[in-house]
Amino acid sequence: MPATFFLIFFLFMVASQSTWFPNYPHYPHLFSAQERFRNRGDRLSKPLIGESGRIYACSEDMLLAFENNGSIAWFLPLGFECNVSKAPVHGGRGKIYLIAENRVLRINIMKIGTSEPAVQVLFDPGPGQRGDEIVGIAVSTLCSSVIINVKNRGLFSYLMRGQLLWSVGPVIDQYGYRQGCWKNVSDCYFASAPVIDQCEASVYISNTEGELYSLSIRSPEFKWIQDLSSFDKLYTITPGNNGILYVTVPVKSLILALDVSSGNVLWQTSIGQLSSAESSPVVDSYGWVTIGSLDGFLYSFSPTGTLKKFPKAAVLDSVIQFSIFLDCSGYAVYFCQTEMEEKVIHMNDQFAHVSAMKPKSSIFTLIVPSTGKIYWSESNHGPFLSSLSQSDLQNFVVDEGMLLAFVTASKIGNQLSCRSKALKLASSCSQGTRKRQSVYTGNRSSIFLFLLLESIILVVLAVVVRFCCVFWRKKKLQDQDLGRFLEKRRSLQLKKKAFDRTITELEHKATEEAVATEETKEELGKLVRERQGIERKLSTTYSLGRDERVSNPKSVLPLYTGRPSYSFQRAKKGSVTIFYTLSNTSSEGSSGEREYVSDSEVEEEHVVKGKGKAAIEDESSSNDEQLGRKYQRSPLKPASSSKGYTESLFVEQESGEENFQDEGKGVKTVPSSSRSIWLKRRTFSSLN
């Protein structure tokens, strides 16, 4: 039974521990904490609130963990004196990072009380360089990175296990241009503590010239640099984790909202006077940014810049001089309003100075800035704050800011459900994602016209690309100049037109004359051959289409050059060939006469070769058949006898209907896709 009871008790104690910062058992040296710090009046550093409700702070060379009731849970010797002006930084998985004697220490709470060292030095500038001040540190648990700013040396990025990732100074040569410190290079360095936007994985930091940098957390490349020196060279930076970066200018009492992607100022507004140059606001999960002022008001702005002030009627002599804290739900904030016995405001041309003396009382309040609802409020004389004065805190020098941290950690008066840090971060990041993914849904007709115009442009581009692909794929253009190619093509086209005109004139001349002279026929044949050569070049070598291998062209030259005969091709679809052959038939016809037979003058005999609708000759194979056709010449007769000549007219049509005119019967129409027609006419003459 005792063993079973002890096991149950042990499991209960383990289950009651926090995920991030467990309640470790008190070790022998921890029992002397009250005696060790009794009546010493040591000063505590700025606090860190853990998710378990514990508060972590430094004092001299000790790291202390307080319960939310003010008692010391444990303390850990560091071996180095910590910087009380810098708060410890939460590193996830039971780790804390802090600055001590210009070193960055990593404290692993899980190793307290074990044989392994709980304190390790993550960054040490080394001998001779320890005089360089560490301005600030930032930790990204998502990227497992620690960002360190060392004065006059630059920005360093380390993995949590201690490996250096990259380092960068305020001046960098990027893309061939100098970036950063445009006004003063010699005395320019990073002057602010780095801050990290967890949603954007970006690091923000400012230099001594008032320039704000945005860097990627994974590489030392600058995303953008914004010169804010027109406002002031000294300001604080607060990431909104919602697509907005907030810059507070304490001297001029201004808050600027910047776009994280470009650094452009979205909006700016004035607030009351601030208590210190390190004053900075907090951003809740609704995206509202809130900050307190020495005029006694709490200023809260929506992501678009809408202002709300609390309380509506402030006490005349009250001030808000300490930083406010976000509650565990992420929707509400705790702030402290202090009433002073006397407050004097001094005004000059540009600034206002506030002097306050002898605080009378303080009021601690929990409020939701987006709605203005107050959940809890208590003065410093209330039961909870009175109990803190009786705890271990009485051995240290504390102010209202430290008391406000204990009020926040105790969750007193908070009726809102607490959420983990991951859930709060996801809620904030979603606001920036929705904003970037918004789509304009304006006038439908405008959208339709835009899409129509875009479609037309795409079609035109597709046609141009298709033409270019076909055009430039031609082998003949690979070794030629495009200008010479087009000039040669144009000259060939002009030559072809000149040949067409000349051939047409000769054809008319041949039809008008009774008998064509040998010179006319030879000239006609020569011109036809030259025109065919030009056509072959235009269809192959100098064509704008695909390269094609052209078969032997259809011959329209005379098949026989001895006795009068010639052929030509019509301007339309058909081709006409005229043959003169010897015949034994005698006639009384006049000597030397001949009649030109055209398809509109056929009167006597016509024979159609082919069967109905079936095509005898195909266009692709008609060349060989025409070249293979022979005409026969009758045996020569004595000179005294009369000889007749048969004039044959061959008409070829590619498609459509063929019309034949027969004397006395009108016009006959024969439908066919491809036909060959022989028309014969006998002409008689007597030859001496």
Side-chain angles (χ1 to χ4, degrees):
M1 286 296 292
T4 304
F5 176 78
F6 178 81
L7 179 60
I8 295 175
F9 178 79
F10 177 80
L11 293 176
F12 174 77
M13 292 298 296
V14 171
S16 64
Q17 309 307 309
S18 169
T19 304
W20 298 107
F21 300 110
N23 297 311
Y24 295 96
H26 292 273
Y27 299 100
H29 68 275
L30 298 182
F31 286 104
S32 61
Q34 188 172 7
E35 290 76 13
R36 183 183 181 94
F37 298 102
R38 185 184 299 275
N39 299 324
R40 291 181 54 176
D42 293 335
R43 182 186 175 188
L44 293 175
S45 69
K46 291 184 177 180
L48 166 67
I49 302 176
E51 291 192 8
S52 64
R54 282 186 174 173
I55 296 94
Y56 300 89
C58 273
S59 178
E60 295 184 350
D61 61 346
M62 295 287 180
L63 175 65
L64 297 98
F66 291 90
E67 303 289 356
N68 54 28
N69 59 6
S71 61
I72 298 177
W74 51 261
F75 66 90
L76 180 66
L78 300 175
F80 305 96
E81 186 173 353
C82 62
N83 189 340
V84 294
S85 63
K86 310 294 183 183
V89 180
H90 172 57
R93 297 183 180 180
K95 295 183 179 61
I96 295 176
Y97 295 85
L98 54 85
I99 301 173
E101 295 183 12
N102 282 333
R103 297 175 176 85
V104 177
L105 305 182
R106 178 179 58 200
I107 293 90
N108 192 340
I109 303 176
M110 305 291 292
K111 295 182 179 180
I112 295 179
T114 65
S115 58
E116 299 182 25
V119 180
Q120 292 180 334
V121 178
L122 177 70
F123 174 79
D124 187 350
Q129 295 181 342
R130 288 175 182 165
D132 296 334
E133 177 188 358
I134 296 179
V135 181
I137 62 174
V139 178
S140 172
T141 56
L142 297 179
C143 298
S144 300
S145 301
V146 181
I147 311 297
I148 306 170
N149 178 22
V150 182
K151 183 178 178 180
N152 293 321
R153 292 186 58 189
L155 203 61
F156 299 84
S157 176
Y158 283 85
L159 288 176
M160 288 185 174
R161 59 176 177 265
Q163 179 184 357
L164 177 65
L165 289 178
W166 52 263
S167 62
V168 67
V171 181
I172 186 174
D173 290 329
Q174 191 170 340
Y175 308 116
Y177 298 94
R178 191 191 77 184
Q179 300 188 25
C181 298
W182 292 311
K183 298 179 181 179
N184 182 11
V185 179
S186 59
D187 298 328
C188 183
Y189 56 89
F190 291 131
S192 68
V195 296
I196 297 176
D197 190 320
Q198 303 288 354
C199 301
E200 301 291 332
S202 299
V203 181
Y204 303 103
I205 194 170
S206 64
N207 63 14
T208 53
E209 298 301 316
E211 296 170 351
L212 178 62
Y213 296 73
S214 175
L215 301 87
S216 172
I217 198 171
R218 299 179 180 87
S219 63
E221 295 183 359
F222 298 158
K223 294 182 178 179
W224 49 260
I225 301 176
Q226 184 68 269
D227 187 4
L228 301 178
S229 59
S230 59
F231 299 99
D232 194 48
K233 293 184 179 181
L234 184 62
Y235 47 79
T236 60
I237 311 165
T238 305
N241 291 314
N242 59 354
I244 301 177
L245 181 69
Y246 297 99
V247 174
T248 306
V249 186
V251 175
K252 293 188 177 181
S253 301
L254 289 175
I255 287 186
L256 311 176
L258 278 63
D259 183 6
V260 295
S261 60
S262 62
N264 296 329
V265 178
L266 300 177
W267 52 265
Q268 67 181 66
T269 184
S270 299
I271 56 176
Q273 297 78 24
L274 301 177
S275 59
S276 70
E278 298 180 355
S279 298
S280 60
V282 296
V283 183
D284 61 31
S285 296
Y286 289 125
W288 286 71
V289 54
T290 307
I291 191 171
S293 171
L294 292 178
D295 60 6
F297 286 100
L298 189 72
Y299 291 82
S300 187
F301 298 92
S302 70
T304 58
T306 303
L307 170 63
K308 287 185 178 181
K309 293 172 66 175
F310 308 101
K312 294 183 179 179
V315 180
L316 182 62
D317 293 332
S318 63
V319 296
I320 301 177
Q321 57 179 333
F322 299 101
S323 299
I324 60 180
F325 288 93
L326 197 64
D327 82 319
C328 63
S329 69
Y331 299 115
V333 296
Y334 286 92
F335 71 96
C336 175
Q337 188 180 38
T338 305
E339 184 181 359
M340 314 297 290
E341 285 189 359
E342 184 179 358
K343 183 174 72 172
V344 180
I345 301 177
H346 305 276
M347 302 291 296
N348 57 20
D349 294 338
Q350 296 181 351
F351 309 108
H353 303 274
V354 179
S355 299
M357 297 183 298
K358 297 181 180 180
K360 295 169 58 177
S361 63
S362 298
I363 300 177
F364 298 84
T365 306
L366 173 64
I367 188 173
V368 178
S370 60
T371 61
K373 183 177 180 180
I374 297 176
Y375 281 94
W376 173 84
S377 182
E378 181 180 314
S379 69
N380 61 317
H381 303 294
F384 177 76
L385 294 171
S386 298
S387 64
L388 288 178
S389 62
Q390 305 299 323
S391 64
D392 291 337
L393 288 177
Q394 63 182 340
N395 299 316
F396 300 91
V397 177
V398 296
D399 52 19
E400 287 87 344
M402 180 62 72
L403 294 178
L404 186 60
F406 279 87
V407 170
T408 304
S410 66
K411 309 171 188 176
I412 185 171
N414 193 349
Q415 301 176 13
L416 302 173
S417 300
C418 293
R419 298 186 302 162
S420 65
K421 187 176 180 180
L423 288 177
K424 289 185 284 189
L425 186 61
S427 177
S428 299
C429 294
S430 63
Q431 298 178 19
T433 304
R434 287 195 300 268
K435 179 174 134 182
R436 288 191 295 271
Q437 291 181 349
S438 61
V439 179
Y440 170 72
T441 56
N443 187 277
R444 289 187 175 182
S445 60
S446 301
I447 296 176
F448 175 77
L449 291 176
F450 173 76
L451 293 177
L452 180 62
L453 178 62
E454 188 179 31
S455 302
I456 294 174
I457 293 175
L458 290 176
V459 171
V460 173
L461 289 176
V463 173
V464 172
V465 170
R466 174 64 178 169
F467 173 78
C468 292
C469 291
V470 174
F471 190 72
W472 290 108
R473 197 162 53 232
K474 300 174 67 61
K475 295 181 179 179
K476 57 179 165 285
L477 291 182
Q478 293 179 359
D479 300 326
Q480 296 187 27
D481 181 65
L482 179 60
R484 284 186 295 169
F485 172 83
L486 295 177
E487 183 179 356
K488 180 65 175 178
R489 175 178 170 80
R490 180 172 177 79
S491 65
L492 289 175
Q493 290 175 338
L494 295 176
K495 288 182 180 179
K496 181 178 178 298
K497 290 181 180 180
F499 279 119
D500 289 340
R501 286 194 300 269
T502 305
I503 291 173
T504 303
E505 293 175 358
L506 291 177
E507 287 176 351
H508 285 302
K509 182 178 179 181
T511 56
E512 291 175 358
E513 295 179 355
V515 177
T517 62
E518 290 292 339
E519 292 79 6
T520 303
K521 290 180 288 183
E522 290 178 359
E523 183 179 359
L524 183 62
K526 181 179 178 181
L527 292 176
V528 170
R529 287 193 297 271
E530 292 182 359
R531 184 182 66 176
Q532 287 179 340
I534 293 175
E535 289 177 346
R536 282 195 299 271
K537 290 183 179 180
L538 289 174
S539 62
T540 57
T541 307
Y542 293 96
S543 69
L544 294 180
R546 295 181 181 273
D547 288 329
E548 296 179 357
R549 183 167 296 182
V550 182
S551 60
N552 294 329
K554 182 189 300 184
S555 176
V556 293
L557 300 177
L559 298 178
Y560 173 68
T561 59
R563 186 59 188 155
S565 69
Y566 64 89
S567 63
F568 62 91
Q569 187 168 359
R570 289 175 177 267
K572 296 183 179 180
K573 297 182 180 179
S575 61
V576 177
T577 305
I578 300 176
F579 304 105
Y580 291 85
T581 58
L582 292 173
S583 175
N584 294 329
T585 307
S586 299
S587 173
E588 297 293 335
S590 61
S591 175
E593 288 187 357
R594 62 167 289 276
E595 295 183 11
Y596 176 79
V597 181
S598 64
D599 50 354
S600 60
E601 298 174 342
V602 178
E603 297 177 351
E604 295 183 359
E605 180 181 356
H606 60 276
V607 180
V608 178
K609 291 188 177 183
K611 292 185 179 181
K613 299 181 180 180
I616 295 178
E617 291 183 288
D618 189 73
E619 181 65 28
S620 62
S621 62
S622 60
N623 299 331
D624 295 337
E625 288 193 27
Q626 289 187 30
L627 292 175
R629 288 196 185 93
K630 304 288 184 178
Y631 63 89
Q632 295 181 352
R633 180 177 180 180
S634 300
L636 295 175
K637 298 293 182 180
S640 60
S641 61
S642 61
K643 300 177 183 178
Y645 290 90
T646 301
E647 184 183 71
S648 301
L649 175 63
F650 173 78
V651 181
E652 182 178 353
Q653 293 184 336
E654 294 181 356
S655 61
E657 296 179 344
E658 291 119 3
N659 298 332
F660 308 99
Q661 184 173 359
D662 195 1
E663 184 179 0
K665 294 184 180 180
V667 179
K668 292 184 180 181
T669 301
V670 180
S672 175
S673 60
S674 178
R675 294 178 180 274
S676 299
I677 304 172
W678 283 90
L679 302 179
K680 295 184 179 179
R681 176 182 176 86
R682 294 183 182 275
T683 304
F684 301 95
S685 63
S686 61
L687 301 176
N688 295 327

